[in-house]
């Protein structure tokens, strides 16, 4: 039986990054992935394909709505969805090939098949053809990720009642896409089809979009999605069932007055969160504890209750984000090698890739109020940014929350053009405990979107923004 120092189960961004770091640190490393394609949810049916379709659909939207104003006359553009999906597949393929290369480069042994613990130190791998092989391992990192959740009363037929996975592989642009859940997946994939011409209705249980994020962002995103893409929103609606007759779907919900509301469309995307995936992993056999939500329980060092077994990424508590999984992969590998790594969970940024993009890090205003913390707010609208006017991207703002006493930046919440990239400045500033004054004294190239961060900091420190 082949023996490894460490085995990682699951080749998503948590698992494959953990494998690279373990190998870099000199461990004999195995990576087990049940699918032939490495990269997990993120590369195959998550971050990368969704961003590929978001980019394509944004080009289409701009061609249709903005080219004329830019002085570009073209024939009315038409959607070629088949080609759009084909390009997306190409992006995924090249990205996955990149991971294969990295595995070879780092001499990581890949096993393709479903992993199940036989004992704490032996793992059975069942291949697609039913053949089994067993390997021995000193330590194990579980990085088995998550799968889409659903709701009671909803049968996901994956044809008309679909998850994000099917929404990335559509044969036609829906006429009316009903989305259950106004969170990240719903709004990103809703944007893709909204831009391509679908009518989009979002049915959301809470009273606002992206409920965990700063309330100011929810409001602005709702305004812009309504204005630009004619999204319709049903807030405070609890979905009770979805029926499909093969051509049409009917989504039933109860509004805040407990009245029954029905919406009809041709597709329903269920985007109400994801659940940890540990099916047939054999956790019960070796006594690894899971919590009431099915997440593997870990301590602050990402150790499970079983010596030598760690868990990272979507399968443990915390934000279900690729970069969080990656940080955890590196953290565990370095701990195994005797190092003392650190993760600042409060500074893991969150991004929603709508247009305008939403990006956030640190505490929200709601959280600061709850903590009773005294803070100052500085904000700057993109309509006052020369760069944003040049590109006609004037929706949104940057909001900086700074400690009233020390001026330390406690949270930054942005909605606007390229804020997904801009948020990195806020992360760096906050990691170094910068004050709003510090940022407001640093030169930001002109004209850039990032000047808006400086202006928001100026606004937070004595209302001295220069361009509002
Ligand atoms: P996963 O990526 O889920 O990987 C787990 C892997 O383990 C899978 O390949 C699975 O097949 C394998 N596995 C499971 N059980 C076994 C077993 N028993 N044996 C062998 N293999 C097994 N996050 C972002 O940060 N940015 C984004 O833009 C973003 N966009 C997203 C868009 C969509 C549509 C979706 C669905 C998700 C998106 N996410 C995004 C979330 C991101 O994909 C996840 O947070 C991330 O993939 C989690 O990484 P992971 O390594 O923990 O698990
Ligand atoms: P989510 O938690 O972001 O949103 C789910 C939404 O569904 C919430 O707004 C919730 O209130 C609503 N909801 C729950 N039950 C409902 C009901 N019965 N009726 C109506 N609405 C209901 O989850 P998601 O959008 O499915 O995304 C799953 C995970 O994937 C998230 O944790 C997210 O972090 C990750 N993801 C990240 C990105 C990104 O980083 N850009 C993109 C896509 C997905």
């Amino acid at each position: 039986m082949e023996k490894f120092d460490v085995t990682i189960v699951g080749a998503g961004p948590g698992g494959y990054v953990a494998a690279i770091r373990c190998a870099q640190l000199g461990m004999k490393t195995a990576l087990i992935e049940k699918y032939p394609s490495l990269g997990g949810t993120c590369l195959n049916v998550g971050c990368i394909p969704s961003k590929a379709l978001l980019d394509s659909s944004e080009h289409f939207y701009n061609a249709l709505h903005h080219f004329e104003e830019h002085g570009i006359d073209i024939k009315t553009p038409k959607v070629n969805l088949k080609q759009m999906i084909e390009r997306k597949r190409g992006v995924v393929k090249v990205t996955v090939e990149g991971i294969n290369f990295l595995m070879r480069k780092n001499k990581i042994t890949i096993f393709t098949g479903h992993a199940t613990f036989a004992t704490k130190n032996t793992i059975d791998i069942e291949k697609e053809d039913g053949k089994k092989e067993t390997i021995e391992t000193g330590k194990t990192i579980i990085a088995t990720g998550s799968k889409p959740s659903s709701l009671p009363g909803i049968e996901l037929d994956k044809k008309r009642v679909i998850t994000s996975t099917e929404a990335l592989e559509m044969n036609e642009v829906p006429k009316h896409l009903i989305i259950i859940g106004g969170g990240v997946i719903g709004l990103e994939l809703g944007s893709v089809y909204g831009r391509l011409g679908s009518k989009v209705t979002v049915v959301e249980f809470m009273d606002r979009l992206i409920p965990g994020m700063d309330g100011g962002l929810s409001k602005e995103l709702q305004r812009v999605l309504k204005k630009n893409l004619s999204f319709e929103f049903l807030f405070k609606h609890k979905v009770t069932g979805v029926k499909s007759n093969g051509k049409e779907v009917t989504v039933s919900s109860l509004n805040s007055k407990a009245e029954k509301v029905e919406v009809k469309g041709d597709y329903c995307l269920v985007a109400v969160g994801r659940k940890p995936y540990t099916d047939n992993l054999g956790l019960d056999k070796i006594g690894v504890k899971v919590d009431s939500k099915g997440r593997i329980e870990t301590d602050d060092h990402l150790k499970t209750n079983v010596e030598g077994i760690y868990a990272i990424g979507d399968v443990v508590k915390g934000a279900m984000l690729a970069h969080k999984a990656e940080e955890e992969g590196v953290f565990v590998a370095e701990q195994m090698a005797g190092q003392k790594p650190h993760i600042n969970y409060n500074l893991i940024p969150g991004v929603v890739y709508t247009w305008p993009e939403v990006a956030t890090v640190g505490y929200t205003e709601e959280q600061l109020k709850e903590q009773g913390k005294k803070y100052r707010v500085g904000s700057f609208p993109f309509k006052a940014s020369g760069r944003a006017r040049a590109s006609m991207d004037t929706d949104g703002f940057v909001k900086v929350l700074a400690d009233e006493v020390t001026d330390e930046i406690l949270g930054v919440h942005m909605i606007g053009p390229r804020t997904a990239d801009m948020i990195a400045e806020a992360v760096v500033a906050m990691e170094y405990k910068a004050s709003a004054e510090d940022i407001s004294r640093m030169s930001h190239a002109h004209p850039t979107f990032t000047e808006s961060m400086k202006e928001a900091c100026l606004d937070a420190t004595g209302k001295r923004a220069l361009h509002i």
Side-chain angles (χ1 to χ4, degrees), residues 55-67:
D55 277 337
S56 297
S57 59
E58 184 65 12
H59 285 312
F60 174 75
Y61 181 85
N62 282 332
L64 201 60
H65 297 279
H66 295 311
F67 274 18

Side-chain angles (χ1 to χ4, degrees), residues 151 181 183-185 188 203-206 211 271-273 320-321 351 353:
L151 295 169
V184 197
I185 291 183
E188 288 187 0
V203 188
E204 166 58 51
F205 181 66
M206 306 290 278
V272 293
M320 287 185 167
L321 295 173
V351 172
Y353 293 83

Side-chain angles (χ1 to χ4, degrees), residues 447-459:
T448 57
F449 298 123
T450 66
E451 288 169 291
S452 304
M453 171 74 181
K454 174 176 171 147
E455 291 274 7
C457 287
L458 281 165
D459 190 48

